[in-house]
Amino acid sequence: YWINSCRESAPKGGGASIMTVLISQSDLTDNHTHVAEAQDKSKSKTSETTSNEQETKAESILSEAEKEEVSKSTADTFDKSSNEAKSSQGMKQQEDHSHAFISVKRLPSASGPQKVYEEQNFRPLPNGDCGDGIVNPHSKDQVADKYWAQRKRLFTRYDDGIQLDKEGWYSVTPEAIANHIADRVISSSNGNGNGFVILDAFCGCGGNATAFARRPEVSLVVCVDTDLGRLQMAAKNASIYNIEKEKLLFIHDNAIQILSRYSNGTLIATTKVDNDRHEESKLHDYTCNGTLPNQLDCIFLAPPWGGVEYEQIGKGHFSVKTHISVKDSEDSTVNGEQLLSMTAKASQRCVYFLPRNLNGIAMGRSALQAGYTGSVELEKNVLNGKFKTIAVFLGFDSNDSTLKNKE
């Protein structure tokens, strides 16, 4: 996994790396869509015991020697990322890390051959028929057959009235992956219990926001998007999953503007969206453009990857610095590396959701440029045996979810 690039980046005459990219892997199936729902229905001691047993089992996958080795490389990430991010000015860093030597370490979950699954209840047939006899009713340029066939992987409750626009069909996170990411973020709470607050900076049609909100430990998900129509869809979709009205706050604004209101997880600017176009309102009974929370525990970043053409960039060539562009205002944009720098200042913990052709070496350098040190974890999200996406975990304590490996 990018080993050749890593060797090419090594300084002449040797020398130690200042950033380690940890490669892990989550092997998910369609059954994972039921995990969060089950946790919603039961907060009993029995479920807590089961969760603790699962965590213990996950931790045991790493040998004591491996735990010590990886812990040394990650122990300072959480504290240093905050201090360095706060000390940087604007988007300019004191050092240029564009050619830094990045080391790579596979964790046990990413070792060995790829698992193969025999998919149940799914048969790809012509015209978007997934085996249920229902063909794609949309035009091919609006909804591709492959997305229609997997509609119940995107949302298991699709038939209950889920709404998606053209971009949402190819950009929404499949429910199993969204639930898994929510599980991992919450497992890093260090026993803080309920009251977790998450900022979904590019909400879209609400797949990840809904997954976060289904967790009983989450008290609020702040859902930001510049497209009011998508926010309306996200609110509708959340209502189908019976998300409580107080657990979602929709913000019709630019993600950059909202990020700039926070420093180290604490609100530093005005508490309400103060754009005249964005008056407080309701979207399917959820508040839109209300008061921002005083604290953030984690930021989830899933900016546009450049449409369905992102795969044409080639395997292992996608870079957040080069291939992600987000509007800062009507006249200016920031790239994905600058976006990460802003995020590092706003909150210590971040999950960056990216395509499977991400270059891990470039990602490690972008993390350094944003102020993170020690290590970052790149988790390969595999669904039904197919490599789908990468979730990058930054600023997480090494004793928490970053090192709680999956089987």
Side-chain angles (χ1 to χ4, degrees):
Y1 215 47
W2 317 297
I3 294 300
N4 290 334
S5 296
C6 181
R7 287 171 180 162
E8 291 170 3
S9 71
K12 293 182 179 179
S17 73
I18 54 177
M19 170 64 76
T20 299
V21 171
L22 305 174
I23 307 300
S24 66
Q25 181 169 310
S26 60
D27 284 292
L28 308 172
T29 66
D30 293 331
N31 291 332
H32 198 79
T33 57
H34 304 294
V35 172
E37 184 175 32
Q39 290 173 338
D40 284 349
K41 293 180 179 178
S42 174
K43 301 179 185 179
S44 65
K45 292 183 178 180
T46 302
S47 65
E48 292 177 2
T49 301
T50 302
S51 176
N52 291 335
E53 289 175 350
Q54 291 173 341
E55 291 180 3
T56 301
K57 184 177 181 182
E59 288 178 329
S60 69
I61 296 173
L62 289 177
S63 67
E64 291 303 319
E66 286 177 316
K67 287 182 181 179
E68 182 177 356
E69 178 184 352
V70 180
S71 181
K72 286 179 181 178
S73 69
T74 60
D76 61 344
T77 303
F78 190 74
D79 293 327
K80 287 186 178 180
S81 63
S82 172
N83 294 334
E84 294 190 17
K86 287 189 289 184
S87 63
S88 62
Q89 298 294 323
M91 299 309 304
K92 186 177 181 181
Q93 300 291 325
Q94 294 180 348
E95 296 184 62
D96 179 12
H97 296 290
S98 59
H99 300 287
F101 173 41
I102 306 297
S103 61
V104 178
K105 178 178 177 61
R106 281 181 186 265
L107 295 181
S109 60
S111 301
Q114 180 72 52
K115 294 180 180 179
V116 178
Y117 294 89
E118 182 177 346
E119 298 186 68
Q120 308 256 338
N121 304 319
F122 183 86
R123 291 183 300 139
L125 300 173
N127 300 316
D129 182 357
C130 62
D132 60 3
I134 303 176
V135 299
N136 184 2
H138 305 280
S139 62
K140 301 297 189 288
D141 62 340
Q142 183 70 21
V143 181
D145 286 344
K146 64 178 181 179
Y147 300 128
W148 172 257
Q150 299 184 74
R151 61 195 181 280
K152 292 186 180 179
R153 282 183 176 159
L154 304 181
F155 289 96
T156 55
R157 301 185 187 180
Y158 178 85
D159 289 344
D160 294 336
I162 291 294
Q163 297 179 354
L164 294 167
D165 62 1
K166 182 178 180 178
E167 183 176 322
W169 275 101
Y170 62 77
S171 64
V172 71
T173 306
E175 190 172 315
I177 296 177
N179 283 343
H180 168 74
I181 291 173
D183 291 347
R184 289 213 55 195
V185 168
I186 297 305
S187 74
S188 72
S189 61
N190 291 322
N192 291 334
N194 295 339
F196 218 75
V197 179
I198 296 170
L199 171 64
D200 185 349
F202 300 87
C203 173
C205 295
N208 289 96
T210 297
F212 284 126
R214 290 174 71 184
R215 291 293 308 226
E217 301 90 342
V218 172
S219 63
L220 182 66
V221 183
V222 182
C223 312
V224 181
D225 206 287
T226 57
D227 191 316
L228 182 59
R230 290 197 189 113
L231 289 180
Q232 291 171 332
M233 292 179 183
K236 171 63 176 178
N237 297 340
S239 69
I240 290 172
Y241 282 83
N242 300 315
I243 302 301
E244 295 93 331
K245 304 308 178 186
E246 67 276 5
K247 293 190 76 171
L248 294 178
L249 171 62
F250 291 97
I251 300 294
H252 181 209
D253 206 342
N254 188 304
I256 306 300
Q257 301 302 318
I258 301 302
L259 289 173
S260 67
R261 296 167 184 260
Y262 286 90
S263 176
N264 196 25
T266 301
L267 187 68
I268 59 174
T270 55
T271 56
K272 279 199 174 185
V273 177
D274 50 14
N275 192 314
D276 291 339
R277 297 178 302 160
H278 303 152
E279 297 180 356
E280 183 170 338
S281 60
K282 294 289 184 180
L283 299 178
H284 295 279
D285 293 331
Y286 296 101
T287 299
C288 182
N289 297 332
T291 301
L292 293 171
N294 292 322
Q295 297 290 327
L296 294 177
D297 294 293
C298 181
I299 296 174
F300 179 75
L301 291 180
W305 300 342
V308 294
E309 293 80 16
Y310 73 88
E311 289 191 330
Q312 297 176 9
I313 296 168
K315 184 178 180 180
H317 291 293
F318 189 95
S319 163
V320 297
K321 182 177 181 179
T322 305
H323 300 112
I324 288 180
S325 179
V326 177
K327 275 194 173 184
D328 183 14
S329 64
E330 292 296 329
D331 303 320
S332 64
T333 61
V334 299
N335 63 44
E337 183 175 279
Q338 294 170 324
L339 175 66
L340 182 58
S341 294
M342 292 180 171
T343 302
K345 297 174 192 174
S347 178
Q348 293 173 336
R349 294 188 182 99
C350 167
V351 180
Y352 213 151
F353 192 60
L354 295 165
R356 60 191 175 189
N357 58 340
L358 174 71
N359 184 290
I361 304 303
M363 186 66 236
R365 290 168 177 163
S366 290
L368 276 173
Q369 202 70 32
Y372 293 96
T373 60
S375 70
V376 297
E377 180 187 355
L378 273 61
E379 181 186 70
K380 299 166 63 180
N381 304 130
V382 177
L383 181 59
N384 298 311
K386 295 180 180 179
F387 183 15
K388 292 288 190 180
T389 54
I390 292 177
V392 184
F393 293 84
L394 304 109
F396 285 78
D397 191 322
S398 61
N399 294 320
D400 300 323
S401 66
T402 301
L403 299 181
K404 286 181 179 176
N405 244 291
K406 291 71 55 190
E407 287 187 280

